[in-house]
């Protein structure tokens, strides 16, 4: 199964991604972690992306498109994967589809962990450092929402969007997700 997981900061993406990957036995490709590991190992790729990651800027699309172009050819991901943190823009979503077309593969679902704005604010405040201003958190969330809506529309138009109520306990969200995905394969 090939999946993408989408959700705001504090939506529970990381938790759900890990639970799904272990239950479905598919590898997790979490781009933020991959980038940080490459930087820590000082690989050529790590050195290339370091200035962007360290300044909090998005890594240019061409770099990530090229990265996934070779990463998705590797044998460990030939039977499926779950992407976390990518795509982050509608352009990246479209580029991912082009890439999958070249590989004669298809995305099964883009999972949208839907959590009300005020819950994300509350969770972000709980997770944040004391010197993070509420206005900055609000701004971060607003930017996220602005960028995410076009991705949701992109997948919805292609009937690939799976919207899950993420405002529940992690166990409940996971059970629902698993039930839906297992129905699709049986
Ligand atoms: P994250 O762990 O998701 O916050 O990502 C850490 C950093 O990695 C971001 O600040 C960006 O520099 C970079 N990054 C992660 N995902 C993407 C993406 N989809 N497109 C561009 N840059 C990304």
């Amino acid at each position: 199964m090939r999946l993408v997981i989408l959700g705001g900061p504090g939506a529970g993406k990381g938790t759900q991604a890990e639970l799904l990957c272990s239950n479905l036995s598919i590898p997790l490709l979490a781009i933020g972690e991959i980038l940080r590991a490459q930087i820590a190992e000082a690989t050529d790729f790590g050195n290339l992306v370091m200035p962007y990651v360290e300044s909090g800027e998005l890594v240019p699309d061409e770099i990530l498109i090229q990265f996934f172009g070779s990463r998705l050819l590797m044998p460990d991901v030939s039977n499926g994967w779950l992407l976390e943190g990518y795509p982050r823009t509608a352009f990246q979503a479209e580029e991912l589809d082009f890439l999958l077309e070249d590989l004669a593969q298809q995305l099964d679902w883009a999972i949208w962990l839907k959590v009300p704005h005020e819950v994300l604010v509350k969770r972000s405040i709980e997770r944040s450092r004391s010197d993070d201003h509420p206005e900055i958190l609000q701004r971060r969330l607003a930017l996220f929402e602005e960028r995410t809506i076009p991705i949701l529309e992109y997948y919805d138009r292609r009937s690939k969007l799976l919207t899950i109520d993420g405002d529940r306990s992690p166990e409940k969200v996971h059970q629902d997700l698993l039930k839906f995905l297992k129905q699709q394969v049986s």
Side-chain angles (χ1 to χ4, degrees), residues 11-125:
K13 274 191 314 268
T15 309
Q16 294 303 326
E18 274 179 28
L19 289 169
L20 273 182
C21 286
S22 79
N23 253 294
L24 299 172
S25 303
I26 51 174
L28 172 62
L29 299 177
I31 189 65
E33 277 167 38
I34 293 171
L35 296 176
R36 279 188 288 272
Q38 295 278 329
I39 292 169
E41 287 168 31
T43 61
D44 287 345
F45 181 69
N47 292 334
L48 182 67
V49 298
M50 182 166 69
Y52 305 100
V53 175
E54 296 205 331
S55 60
E57 296 292 322
L58 286 183
V59 174
D61 287 327
E62 317 82 77
I63 296 181
L64 291 185
I65 291 162
Q66 206 181 358
F67 169 77
F68 280 109
S70 48
R71 183 65 187 88
L72 294 184
L73 283 176
M74 291 183 184
D76 65 314
V77 294
S78 60
N79 288 323
W81 34 255
L82 190 158
L83 294 187
E84 187 200 329
Y86 191 90
R88 217 154 160 151
T89 61
F91 180 77
Q92 291 181 352
E94 197 173 9
E95 285 296 331
L96 177 63
D97 274 344
F98 291 148
L99 173 60
L100 293 178
E101 218 174 284
D102 284 349
L103 300 176
Q105 295 180 352
Q106 268 206 12
L107 183 75
D108 291 287
W109 294 105
I111 299 164
W112 164 233
L113 292 178
K114 191 174 181 190
V115 174
H117 181 89
E118 57 281 8
V119 177
L120 290 183
V121 173
K122 188 170 156 275
R123 290 187 190 168
S124 296
I125 289 171

Side-chain angles (χ1 to χ4, degrees), residues 4 130 140:
V4 157
S130 55
R140 210 179 282 157

